[in-house]
């Protein structure tokens, strides 16, 4: 039994070409028709096999209200973010005569919501999509903000479109089946929102770290804390993307920890979870800021203690500098040859560090290095 069952859902408004709502709570199926809007007759629910039962429940609910509902079961995780899988979804839409006034529902983790958003963005040059994220990472990050995409053989997220959802439903009950490490990885992005914009997030995580990292045996009130954390993190992302729809500048702060984090993901050939790589990346960025005379020792220590408290890694092997540096230089967010990092001047006050001295980078790497692989592969 968890708390929050009967609480009214929280709503966060996100500014976009057309503003939309992120609804956070429990038992939210009844909210779906409102987010789908009046014109929709046909709905395609895109989901992975692990969420087949939830997809059927959504289908039955929508059918009872007169919608024509179709299901597209797609491969799990990154395997679903391919041109072939998108083409399969287009085929289903075509065969079911989906028009501009119909809609897609993306039900799953960030990989599925990225795919569903991309399919909706491209079908008839754009139809409505309502995202129903079922991982913590997708709730606080992937499903909000309108970036959609698929992978190619050459790399992740290389093909995509900006396409804001018509709405987002974050139903906490879906997180009950999420494996522990996926919850912990999602907490990495939550903690990131705390560091860049909302210190209250850090206090809540610090006070409830052990319970958040083990939701299966957590006391009921932990779910209320998790709900507040999701709401606060969504507000941080909504505030940033609302002011910067197409990633012109401000949105960059959401990449805190990501330059080094992406490099770890590449060097590890995506065997590390994103949130774990970003965790080490945030400590790297904090050390960089400290070495550049911008962030206090105390704030750097808080990075390590908060991330470690939920079980996220804060170090990486010390014998990979050349590969990491090469990966950072290849990062698509790098402009020209200049390496750019989001750094903090204090907690809640992000800034930029452009083209840092290579010696500074190497020194920050030394601070996050450990001698031998620990086997931590979150
Ligand atoms: N568009 C954006 O702005 C944005 C931002 C961040 C990340 N992303 C993308 O998000 C993806 C990562 O998202 P993710 O961490 O959610 O991974 P994911 O979608 O791969 O989900 C992880 C695994 O958990 C399964 N799963 C999902 N919900 C579950 C549940 N409730 N119970 C049990 N299993 C469940 C999934 O099927 C998958 O196997 C990446 O592809 C990344 O590129 C996009």
């Amino acid at each position: 039994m968890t708390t929050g069952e009967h609480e009214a859902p929280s709503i966060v408004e996100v500014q976009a070409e057309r503003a939309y709502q992120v609804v956070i709570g429990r038992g939210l199926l009844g909210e779906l028709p409102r987010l789908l809007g009046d014109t929709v007759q046909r709905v395609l629910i895109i989901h992975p096999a692990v969420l087949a039962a939830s997809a059927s429940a959504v289908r039955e609910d929508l059918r009872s209200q007169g919608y024509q509902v179709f299901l597209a079961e797609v491969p799990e995780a990154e395997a679903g973010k391919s041109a072939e899988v998108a083409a399969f979804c287009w085929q289903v839409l075509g065969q079911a005569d989906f028009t501009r006034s119909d809609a897609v529902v993306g039900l799953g983790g960030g990989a599925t919501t990225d795919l569903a958003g991309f399919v909706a963005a491209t079908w008839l040059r754009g139809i409505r999509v309502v995202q129903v994220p079922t991982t913590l990472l997708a709730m606080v990050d992937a499903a909000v903000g309108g970036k959609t995409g698929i992978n190619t053989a050459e790399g992740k997220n290389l093909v995509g479109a900006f396409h804001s959802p018509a709405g987002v439903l974050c139903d906490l009950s879906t997180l009950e089946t999420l494996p522990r490490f996926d919850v912990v990885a999602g907490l990495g992005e939550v903690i990131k929102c705390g560091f860049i914009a909302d210190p209250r997030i850090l206090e809540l995580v610090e006070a409830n770290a052990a319970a958040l990292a083990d939701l299966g045996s957590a006391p009921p009130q932990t779910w209320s804390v998790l709900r507040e954390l999701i709401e606060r993190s969504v507000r941080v992302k909504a505030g940033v993307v609302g002011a910067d729809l197409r990633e012109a500048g401000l949105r960059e702060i959401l990449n805190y920890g990501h330059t080094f984090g992406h490099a770890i993901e590449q060097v590890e050939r995506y065997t590390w979870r994103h949130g774990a790589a970003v965790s080490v990346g945030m400590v790297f960025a904090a050390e960089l800021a400290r070495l550049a005379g911008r962030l206090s020792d105390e704030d750097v220590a808080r990075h390590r203690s908060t991330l470690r408290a939920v079980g996220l890694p804060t170090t990486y092997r010390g014998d990979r500098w050349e590969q990491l540096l090469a990966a950072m230089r290849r990062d698509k967010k790098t402009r020209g040859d200049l390496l750019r990092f989001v750094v903090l001047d204090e907690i809640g006050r992000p800034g930029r560090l452009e083209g840092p001295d290579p010696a500074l980078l190497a020194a920050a790497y030394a601070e996050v290095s450990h001698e031998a692989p620990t086997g931590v592969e979150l």
Side-chain angles (χ1 to χ4, degrees):
M1 182 62 194
T2 52
T3 60
E5 211 80 43
H6 305 293
E7 283 174 37
S10 316
I11 293 179
V12 180
E13 297 273 346
V14 187
Q15 296 309 314
E17 285 93 349
R18 275 183 37 193
Y20 59 93
Q21 293 186 342
V22 181
V23 184
I24 304 153
R26 276 181 176 270
L28 298 179
L29 219 53
E31 300 279 331
L32 193 50
R34 185 173 68 77
L35 297 185
L36 284 168
D38 296 337
T39 60
V40 173
Q41 293 178 357
R42 296 174 197 78
V43 177
L44 174 66
I45 304 172
I46 298 179
H47 68 92
V50 66
L51 289 155
S54 305
S56 298
V58 176
R59 177 179 59 184
E60 292 323 307
D61 195 70
L62 289 177
R63 272 190 181 158
S64 72
Q65 300 183 59
Y67 293 93
Q68 265 184 281
V69 190
F70 304 83
L71 298 183
E73 187 174 299
V74 296
E76 300 288 319
E78 297 305 308
K81 283 177 63 171
S82 73
E84 291 74 19
V85 177
F88 159 69
C89 296
W90 292 323
Q91 189 181 13
V92 177
L93 291 169
Q95 289 176 354
D97 295 325
F98 269 60
T99 70
R100 275 236 170 99
S101 50
D102 294 323
V104 167
V105 168
L107 174 72
T112 308
T113 58
D114 271 8
L115 167 75
F118 180 68
V119 167
T122 44
W123 184 253
L124 301 177
R125 300 190 181 84
I127 65 172
R128 292 166 80 79
V129 60
V130 173
Q131 301 289 21
V132 186
T134 62
T135 65
L136 183 54
L137 180 102
M139 289 183 186
V140 301
D141 195 357
V144 179
K147 283 209 290 182
T148 75
I150 57 172
N151 306 324
T152 75
E154 285 67 38
K156 271 187 55 139
N157 298 325
L158 290 178
V159 176
F162 286 99
H163 186 63
S164 293
V168 182
L169 278 188
C170 301
D171 194 326
L172 269 79
S173 56
T174 62
L175 298 179
E176 283 163 15
T177 55
L178 194 63
R180 183 180 169 167
F181 282 153
D182 282 299
V183 175
V184 170
L187 285 171
E189 293 289 343
V190 169
I191 292 169
K192 177 200 78 180
C193 292
F195 280 125
I196 61 172
D198 182 359
R200 178 71 187 139
I201 289 179
L202 301 178
E203 291 167 12
L204 286 170
V205 170
E206 286 157 358
N208 299 277
L212 287 166
D214 189 8
L215 286 177
S217 41
Q221 61 270 26
T222 307
W223 287 89
S224 302
V225 174
L226 184 61
R227 179 183 161 141
E228 182 174 352
L229 286 170
I230 294 170
E231 187 181 334
R232 285 182 174 274
S233 303
V234 169
R235 279 193 201 286
V236 169
K237 182 149 189 191
V240 173
V241 300
D244 180 12
L245 295 183
R246 296 205 173 248
E247 216 167 28
L250 178 64
R251 201 161 168 154
E252 196 175 37
I253 69 170
L254 296 170
N255 291 328
Y256 185 52
H258 282 57
T259 308
F260 193 75
H262 281 154
I264 292 180
E265 286 185 285
Q266 278 188 36
V267 171
E268 295 295 330
R269 297 181 192 282
Y270 297 97
T271 56
W272 270 50
R273 278 188 177 68
H274 179 69
V278 168
S279 174
V280 183
M282 286 191 278
V283 181
F284 177 84
E287 286 291 358
L288 205 52
R290 183 181 67 85
L291 292 163
R294 294 174 62 166
L295 191 65
S296 71
D297 293 354
E298 194 188 319
D299 285 346
V300 179
R302 197 168 181 196
H303 278 69
R304 289 202 169 86
S305 61
T306 310
L307 293 162
R308 275 185 192 153
V310 297
L312 283 164
T314 54
T315 61
Y316 183 64
R317 52 191 299 164
D319 55 357
R320 288 288 181 274
W321 184 232
E322 292 308 318
Q323 293 97 311
L324 290 165
L325 195 57
M328 288 196 282
R329 291 196 194 287
R330 276 196 309 270
D331 196 296
K332 64 179 182 252
K333 295 195 172 76
T334 302
R335 294 193 187 158
D337 277 343
L338 217 54
L339 277 177
R340 293 155 62 86
F341 293 87
V342 178
V343 291
L344 301 183
D345 290 303
E346 63 182 344
I347 289 173
R349 200 151 64 86
R352 284 187 191 83
L353 183 64
E354 290 204 11
D357 185 335
L360 205 67
L361 288 172
Y365 176 59
E367 295 293 338
V368 300
S369 296
H370 59 74
E371 279 176 10
T374 56
V376 179
E377 286 195 356
L378 263 174

